[in-house]
Amino acid sequence: VTLWLTYLKRGTIKMTPPTTIFFGNDKGDNKSPKVYLRTLLYSTSKRGRIIQSLYVKLKRGESVQNFNIWVYGAKNDLSRGSGLFVGPEGVTYNHHFLLPKDGTDFNFLPGKYILEVHCTIIGKKQEHILNRTELMLTDIESKELTNIYKGIYFDWGPDSGKYHSFTEEFPKTAWIS
């Protein structure tokens, strides 16, 4: 039984609720919309698992948009996501999700959003939903996001059990690559 529980059991990948979520624009030439979050990913098996891909599905009303370009890492050491080993101790990274470069246009309109984090695990045929979070974007916040130098952060409030939002404006010099 111990051998099976520690070495043979495949387990799965789990995710803690994100401590921070961001809606805004990506730095760079095209200033495309992005979703950012910080979280811990961990494996329920002793051997660990490998994430093949990770993406965010953002729903508002009847609209659904996938942010399927995945970039993760630390502030100055970002990597395009394509395979990530996750052990039982877990890994904490900043995860950036961008729109595909297929001409998709997306605006952060006011309303209730459902953010789902999806992953594909090597060895499993079906994708897996790691987390589902509800967020509210007000009319004022939505209007502020029309400025490409502003973003909305949602920080987890443990006492209230919900996310609290605030707007931040970035200096234009921070956008120069």
Side-chain angles (χ1 to χ4, degrees):
V1 170
T2 303
L3 175 69
W4 183 80
L5 286 173
T6 56
Y7 293 103
L8 302 177
K9 183 180 175 197
R10 299 282 297 180
T12 191
I13 300 286
K14 298 271 185 170
M15 177 180 140
T16 61
T19 54
T20 300
I21 299 171
F22 170 84
F23 290 172
N25 286 294
D26 189 39
K27 293 191 303 185
D29 295 334
N30 58 0
K31 312 284 192 290
S32 66
K34 88 169 178 180
V35 174
Y36 156 88
L37 55 92
R38 182 157 178 88
T39 189
L40 171 78
L41 298 167
Y42 64 96
S43 171
T44 61
S45 69
K46 187 74 172 165
R47 290 179 12 186
R49 296 301 298 261
I50 297 173
I51 293 177
Q52 179 175 321
S53 66
L54 199 64
Y55 73 94
V56 164
K57 185 175 284 192
L58 199 56
K59 301 176 181 180
R60 188 190 60 80
E62 297 296 317
S63 300
V64 178
Q65 178 63 56
N66 290 334
F67 287 74
N68 65 325
I69 308 297
W70 169 41
V71 179
Y72 69 93
K75 185 176 184 178
N76 296 320
D77 187 28
L78 295 174
S79 299
R80 181 98 179 234
S82 180
L84 174 64
F85 176 76
V86 180
E89 310 81 25
V91 291
T92 302
Y93 286 116
N94 299 325
H95 299 275
H96 304 258
F97 300 95
L98 307 169
L99 288 176
K101 305 291 183 211
D102 62 358
T104 300
D105 188 28
F106 182 82
N107 295 311
F108 291 103
L109 300 174
K112 180 174 105 176
Y113 283 84
I114 297 171
L115 182 141
E116 293 178 347
V117 179
H118 293 248
C119 80
T120 305
I121 301 170
I122 293 203
K124 287 191 172 185
K125 293 181 182 181
Q126 194 171 352
E127 70 178 30
H128 181 63
I129 298 176
L130 293 173
N131 184 272
R132 186 175 190 271
T133 303
E134 290 186 13
L135 302 165
M136 189 65 163
L137 192 62
T138 66
D139 289 332
I140 294 169
E141 291 168 333
S142 176
K143 286 176 185 161
E144 289 185 357
L145 283 176
T146 59
N147 178 342
I148 63 169
Y149 299 107
K150 287 189 176 183
I152 306 293
Y153 283 93
F154 299 90
D155 286 336
W156 179 250
D159 289 337
S160 64
K162 63 181 183 177
Y163 286 92
H164 302 278
S165 62
F166 69 93
T167 305
E168 186 169 319
E169 184 166 359
F170 307 100
K172 291 175 179 54
T173 56
W175 290 75
I176 299 171
S177 297

